[in-house]
Amino acid sequence: MASWAPCDWSETQRWWQTCEVAVQSTGNKVFHHPIAGTLTLDWDTLASSTAPDQHIVVWTAEPGSPSHKGLRVLAAAAQQAAETSTLPDSVRERLT
């Protein structure tokens, strides 16, 4: 760290204290879905250092895995339901 630190260490400390750094948490979870079957999904959570009560959670499945195929089945089922249901247009548009 000393090789890149500026000569004025107090300035570096002040910069570091105001730096906005996101906190990330990761893991995986198994879901048992009645249509898609067993889904093993990885999750990543990102939180803002300026608004720690707000988080973004991203769920993913390994490409080509049974879980990935299950998510595609759910997406197709949601599309079909949106096209054939009596949902309000605004809701149907969000699903397609």
Side-chain angles (χ1 to χ4, degrees):
M1 185 164 156
S3 63
W4 65 267
C7 295
D8 183 5
W9 182 247
S10 63
E11 184 179 332
T12 301
Q13 288 177 316
R14 191 169 37 257
W15 172 83
W16 187 258
Q17 291 172 351
T18 61
C19 185
E20 296 177 10
V21 179
V23 176
Q24 179 179 6
S25 297
T26 61
N28 59 47
K29 185 169 177 75
V30 177
F31 296 91
H32 301 286
H33 193 277
I35 294 174
T38 300
L39 301 172
T40 302
L41 303 178
D42 296 324
W43 58 269
D44 296 291
T45 302
L46 302 171
S48 169
S49 62
T50 59
D53 58 329
Q54 295 183 14
H55 303 275
I56 297 174
V57 180
V58 180
W59 294 88
T60 57
E62 183 70 30
S65 69
S67 297
H68 183 252
K69 293 174 185 173
L71 289 177
R72 294 177 61 91
V73 166
L74 286 177
Q79 172 99 23
Q80 183 178 15
E83 291 171 353
T84 60
S85 75
T86 58
L87 293 171
D89 289 340
S90 61
V91 174
R92 188 177 309 113
E93 288 171 1
R94 284 185 279 178
L95 294 173
T96 58

